[in-house]
Amino acid sequence: PHGVYIISENPFALDYGGAPPHCLMKSLKPLTVLLTPWFLQAALTTPLSAQTSSTWDIAGRLDASWRYRSENGSSQSDSQALLSGYMDATAKDKDQSEIFRFHLEGFVNHDLNGLENSGDSFYGLPDTRNHATRAFLYGAYVEAPVMSKDLMVRIGRQEIHKENALYFDGARVEFRPLNSLSGVAYAGIPVRFYESSRSGDLLLGAGLKWRIERNLSLGYDQMFFRDHNPPADPSITARNDLSILSANWNRDQHAMLRGSASWLDGEPRRAELSVFLNYPERGWWTKLHIRRQNDYGEVVSTDLSPFAVTLSDVAPYWSGGLEFHRNLTDDVDLGVGYQGRQVIEDEDIGV
């Protein structure tokens, strides 16, 4: 795949992509209008006692890098400058409960040697946008409790991870009616980094998580997507329903087991199993991951893989990976691993 990989410190998370600057500016204008009244309301409705005794946790990071690629036996090459960063500010009361949060995260990529031609080895989706500089807005939201600390509301551009990273502009409500039961509901417009219009698009979702015991929890999520005039067939309005069942087991702070299964419009989509072992006091961690992906349309109505442009089906496959990381010194880590994918030949319909 073409794109820039942004790898978080969470070993289970991986995102990549980019957008032309005009997409970023179109998104910022409505977000500014949306966030400003919410910011003022949260500040005005916060009790004075909480304001005078609150503390702020502020974190941020800025990464700059340069990437160069060339092809042996050819004069073709690609050179890019990359800049990414985030800022997170959280206000807490005297009991260290969150009373307000602001988050901003983005990414900028500049092609130093110009856009590639369609026949070049390093030609990719970003080169079709006629912009040497691309900006990618990951998140810009505010968050605050409403009426109680067990009812948290977030408004703005945000990401929710349900099998894949889903980016949308809208609202999310997290609630906890019981100590063993928590839930989330969200609605908004899916973020489309490579489409000119999102008019008529819609994302709705809700989920529950039940903690059966201290180390074991079960979850269920249901999502609905509507894509007006999708690229595959602009004459229709596509609709999809995604259902996800998940289970998590934490033996202790050192071992975690996670499994999930999903269905797209009632048909099996994906089954996954992950095992994570972490022993920081011994200086190592390892992860094992297995996935069974069934045949499905890559372009579903909300771009479950937000940067995919394959207008066809994916053949069923098994995939897996094993990673091992070791701290050699306080400043040097060593990681080794293997990832593989095996197409299920008797089910491969040749697409």
Side-chain angles (χ1 to χ4, degrees):
H2 296 275
V4 179
Y5 285 82
I6 308 298
I7 305 176
S8 76
E9 294 181 355
N10 179 354
F12 294 97
L14 177 64
D15 303 312
Y16 76 98
H22 69 273
C23 289
L24 174 62
M25 297 310 297
K26 286 182 179 179
S27 302
L28 281 177
K29 291 179 180 178
L31 279 174
T32 303
V33 176
L34 182 65
L35 297 182
T36 302
W38 175 259
F39 182 94
L40 294 176
Q41 181 183 2
L44 292 174
T45 56
T46 302
L48 182 60
S49 60
Q51 291 181 5
T52 57
S53 60
S54 63
T55 59
W56 283 87
D57 289 340
I58 300 178
R61 179 170 178 170
L62 188 65
D63 293 317
S65 60
W66 170 70
R67 182 180 69 176
Y68 176 79
R69 298 180 296 175
S70 64
E71 184 179 52
N72 291 333
S74 171
S75 60
Q76 298 181 21
S77 63
D78 179 50
S79 179
Q80 298 185 9
L82 317 171
L83 182 68
S84 64
Y86 77 91
M87 191 275 287
D88 191 280
T90 304
K92 298 181 179 180
D93 60 19
K94 60 183 180 180
D95 298 322
Q96 293 301 297
S97 297
E98 179 182 327
I99 57 176
F100 182 78
R101 181 185 179 191
F102 172 75
H103 182 88
L104 183 66
E105 186 173 2
F107 163 81
V108 178
N109 179 0
H110 179 68
D111 198 323
L112 297 174
N113 64 337
L115 299 175
E116 311 299 321
N117 298 317
S118 58
D120 295 341
S121 300
F122 302 112
Y123 179 78
L125 179 62
D127 297 306
T128 67
R129 315 314 295 180
N130 299 321
H131 294 279
T133 301
R134 296 176 293 125
F136 180 18
L137 184 64
Y138 281 96
Y141 62 79
V142 292
E143 180 181 86
V146 177
M147 295 182 289
S148 78
K149 63 180 181 180
D150 293 326
L151 184 61
M152 191 72 66
V153 177
R154 177 183 296 180
I155 295 180
R157 173 160 295 187
Q158 52 193 289
E159 176 256 343
I160 187 165
H161 199 92
K162 301 295 180 182
E163 284 202 326
N164 296 87
L166 302 175
Y167 297 90
F168 67 98
D169 295 330
R172 169 165 59 180
V173 178
E174 296 181 359
F175 53 92
R176 184 181 295 274
L178 303 171
N179 290 334
S180 60
L181 184 66
S182 60
V184 60
Y186 44 93
I189 302 175
V191 175
R192 299 305 191 90
F193 298 103
Y194 288 103
E195 289 187 28
S196 59
S197 174
R198 300 185 292 163
S199 176
D201 293 357
L202 179 65
L203 164 65
L204 298 174
L208 289 173
K209 185 176 182 180
W210 177 34
R211 188 170 296 279
I212 300 176
E213 56 183 47
R214 188 175 64 88
N215 297 330
L216 178 63
S217 63
L218 298 177
Y220 174 76
D221 291 272
Q222 184 67 44
M223 281 166 278
F224 168 77
F225 312 108
R226 183 181 68 199
D227 186 8
H228 184 60
N229 305 130
D233 188 353
S235 65
I236 67 171
T237 297
R239 293 176 173 85
N240 289 118
D241 291 288
L242 180 65
S243 305
I244 304 174
L245 281 175
S246 60
N248 289 273
W249 177 71
N250 298 322
R251 188 191 67 182
D252 49 32
Q253 69 270 28
H254 300 300
M256 183 183 79
L257 178 67
R258 185 182 190 277
S260 66
S262 64
W263 295 261
L264 185 65
D265 295 330
E267 297 294 328
R269 177 179 185 262
R270 179 184 296 177
E272 294 184 280
L273 179 66
S274 297
V275 180
F276 182 55
L277 301 176
N278 183 31
Y279 288 87
E281 68 278 4
R282 301 179 185 176
W284 65 270
W285 67 265
T286 186
K287 181 184 110 173
L288 172 67
H289 178 256
I290 301 174
R291 172 185 296 176
R292 168 61 158 86
Q293 179 72 61
N294 291 307
D295 181 24
Y296 75 102
E298 180 70 20
V299 176
V300 293
S301 59
T302 192
D303 290 341
L304 286 178
S305 180
F307 315 106
V309 292
T310 305
L311 300 179
S312 62
D313 291 333
V314 174
Y317 64 84
W318 285 93
S319 67
L322 177 64
E323 299 178 51
F324 180 82
H325 294 255
R326 176 74 180 183
N327 297 334
L328 301 181
T329 69
D330 292 340
D331 302 315
V332 179
D333 299 333
L334 175 66
V336 296
Y338 173 82
Q339 290 187 348
R341 173 178 295 185
Q342 177 63 49
V343 173
I344 301 175
E345 299 292 346
D346 57 348
E347 299 183 40
D348 182 3
I349 59 177
V351 295

